[in-house]
Amino acid sequence: VPNFSMVYITAGHLHRQYINYLGWDMDFTGPQMVLTMKLYMLAYNLYDGEVLKQGENDRAAKKCADVSLSSLPGIIEYLGYTFCFATILAGPAYEYKFYANACDGSLLYDKSGKPKGKIPSQLWPTLRPFLASILCLGIFVVGSGMFPLLDPSDPQNAAPVLISEDMLAKPAYERYRYAWLALFFIRFKYYFAWMNAEGANNIWYAGFEGFDVNGEPKGWQVSNNIDVIQFETAPNLKTLSAAWNKKTANWLAKYVYIRTGGSLFATYGMSAFWHGFYPGYYLFFLSVPLMAACERIGRKKLTPRFGNGKKWSPYGIVCILSTSLMTEYLIQPFQLLAYDWAITAWKSYYFSGHILCVIFFVVVSNMPTPKKKDA
């Protein structure tokens, strides 16, 4: 099933690129990407359930035991999960067990029909993301109108504003400021879609996490797919990745990363493969491990010297700024898609982001590792 899902979405992406190259029109590939994650997870949930039933010592299955399934869902339940109205367009793609528990009432009531705890109102958990999504939509429309990344008159064929002749004639710092703002406002269309979907799930308690052992509500994180503040102020790549498109990150972590022995290359490669086949995706995802390697060596060599565990300390602020600046540099090909457009964008900065990462890694790698007593 995982293989078939990936082959099918691959065919969809290739067909889309063939008939509508560089187009941003909505078609079936968007919902199909969500379905791919659902089918992928459901297959592994059933596999893990069988492995655990047989008592096999499978590390990945044990880590995913809480969402494993011991039996195949019925056809109605299966179709309800895969084509759920609240998740089919933009996600979030959460595990089948969360959906089933919300549908059959076991999330809120025990077998005798008694509430497992004081059932919270879904009014504010529904309205809050809905109202926030409307705000994000407004910010996207206004902001992207002021700082368009692509040429508004012909986004498919004309050179993007980011690499137009007029823009390339400007100083690097001014071009980067424009790119940072353009990419910042583009993100709000994703915030709109995910927050809107979050409210659509919370209205029927699908986003509710249930109750703890004391009968207290746990929260509403099942349907939450984005933490805007956490993402925009992330001090490192790990925090940034965990706050963005959370359910896709969950899918990659549980069903790719730990199933491939913790391979970052396989994980980012799968993410690029799932997104499609535009060169810009691969330029971005294959560059991310370089940034990740710098963070790892920095965490090992520099954090014990300068970090105090506080996000808003001087060292923490430097980490926030460097993460933001580097991410906005690397992400440009992801939005530009075409190889020549992406390379032109990076070339206009003399590939400084990649060069700085290499210099940072070489210099910091040769620094002595602080002893624990000095940390």
Side-chain angles (χ1 to χ4, degrees):
V1 173
N3 289 336
F4 172 79
S5 300
M6 292 305 300
V7 168
Y8 192 84
I9 190 62
T10 294
H13 282 316
L14 291 174
H15 177 261
R16 173 191 173 92
Q17 288 180 221
Y18 178 74
I19 66 170
N20 191 28
Y21 189 68
L22 297 180
W24 286 90
D25 307 43
M26 289 288 290
D27 71 351
F28 86 99
T29 56
Q32 189 61 44
M33 290 169 73
V34 178
L35 285 173
T36 297
M37 287 190 288
K38 288 185 176 182
L39 295 173
Y40 207 103
M41 291 189 294
L42 183 57
Y44 267 111
N45 293 158
L46 290 165
Y47 170 80
D48 291 341
E50 185 64 25
V51 167
L52 295 171
K53 187 189 298 184
Q54 295 177 5
E56 296 183 20
N57 186 26
D58 189 297
R59 177 171 167 268
K62 289 181 178 179
K63 281 193 171 186
C64 302
D66 59 324
V67 291
S68 64
L69 300 173
S70 57
S71 60
L72 192 69
I75 185 64
I76 299 299
E77 291 80 3
Y78 166 76
L79 292 175
Y81 169 65
T82 52
F83 295 104
C84 175
F85 77 96
T87 61
I88 186 62
L89 291 179
Y94 43 76
E95 277 87 351
Y96 173 81
K97 183 167 282 190
F98 297 126
Y99 166 84
N101 290 345
C103 286
D104 63 20
S106 59
L107 178 69
L108 304 176
Y109 303 95
D110 59 25
K111 293 181 179 180
S112 65
K114 295 181 180 179
K116 293 181 178 180
K118 185 178 179 181
I119 300 176
S121 169
Q122 78 274 46
L123 181 61
W124 182 239
T126 299
L127 283 178
R128 180 191 56 77
F130 171 71
L131 295 174
S133 73
I134 299 302
L135 176 62
C136 289
L137 179 60
I139 294 175
F140 165 68
V141 171
V142 175
S144 291
M146 296 172 62
F147 299 93
L149 191 68
L150 303 176
D151 188 331
S153 63
D154 188 3
Q156 255 181 288
N157 301 301
V161 175
L162 200 61
I163 56 172
S164 64
E165 291 185 5
D166 290 341
M167 183 63 68
L168 293 177
K170 296 179 180 179
Y173 72 88
E174 190 171 336
R175 286 186 280 110
Y176 186 84
R177 179 189 65 85
Y178 183 95
W180 194 98
L181 288 170
L183 291 166
F184 173 76
F185 288 120
I186 280 178
R187 289 196 289 274
F188 279 85
K189 70 178 179 181
Y190 300 103
Y191 298 160
F192 159 72
W194 290 332
M195 288 181 176
N196 197 277
E198 180 181 352
N201 279 276
N202 289 350
I203 198 171
W204 57 288
Y205 287 95
F208 182 52
E209 296 176 73
F211 303 94
D212 60 21
V213 292
N214 298 316
E216 295 295 324
K218 291 181 181 179
W220 297 81
Q221 290 299 307
V222 173
S223 60
N224 180 267
N225 211 21
I226 182 66
D227 187 329
V228 177
I229 302 300
Q230 189 78 348
F231 178 84
E232 296 294 346
T233 62
N236 52 62
L237 187 60
K238 181 180 179 181
T239 302
L240 183 141
S241 299
W244 174 268
N245 204 353
K246 293 180 180 181
K247 303 312 169 189
T248 298
N250 172 74
W251 167 59
L252 291 170
K254 285 185 176 181
Y255 306 103
V256 180
Y257 183 75
I258 66 174
R259 313 276 173 167
T260 57
S263 171
L264 282 176
F265 183 83
T267 305
Y268 286 118
M270 173 64 88
S271 184
F273 199 68
W274 174 73
H275 277 91
F277 296 95
Y278 284 113
Y281 294 149
Y282 295 86
L283 289 172
F284 167 68
F285 283 113
L286 295 178
S287 296
V288 169
L290 178 61
M291 181 177 172
C294 290
E295 284 195 357
R296 285 179 176 178
I297 198 67
R299 192 177 300 116
K300 180 181 179 181
K301 305 275 189 172
L302 299 181
T303 300
R305 287 187 169 90
F306 306 107
N308 59 6
K310 295 180 180 180
K311 181 176 181 178
W312 296 105
S313 65
Y315 179 74
I317 293 173
V318 170
C319 290
I320 291 172
L321 293 175
S322 58
T323 298
S324 176
L325 293 173
M326 185 58 65
T327 301
E328 299 291 27
Y329 164 81
L330 291 178
I331 198 67
Q332 291 181 33
F334 191 94
Q335 289 294 328
L336 296 175
L337 302 180
Y339 178 82
D340 53 339
W341 289 356
I343 293 298
T344 300
W346 276 350
K347 187 178 179 180
S348 69
Y349 301 111
Y350 307 101
F351 297 97
S352 56
H354 293 82
I355 295 171
L356 286 173
C357 279
V358 172
I359 293 174
F360 178 90
F361 186 84
V362 172
V363 171
V364 177
S365 294
N366 287 284
M367 293 175 62
T369 302
K371 296 180 180 179
K372 290 186 177 180
K373 64 179 181 179
D374 297 330

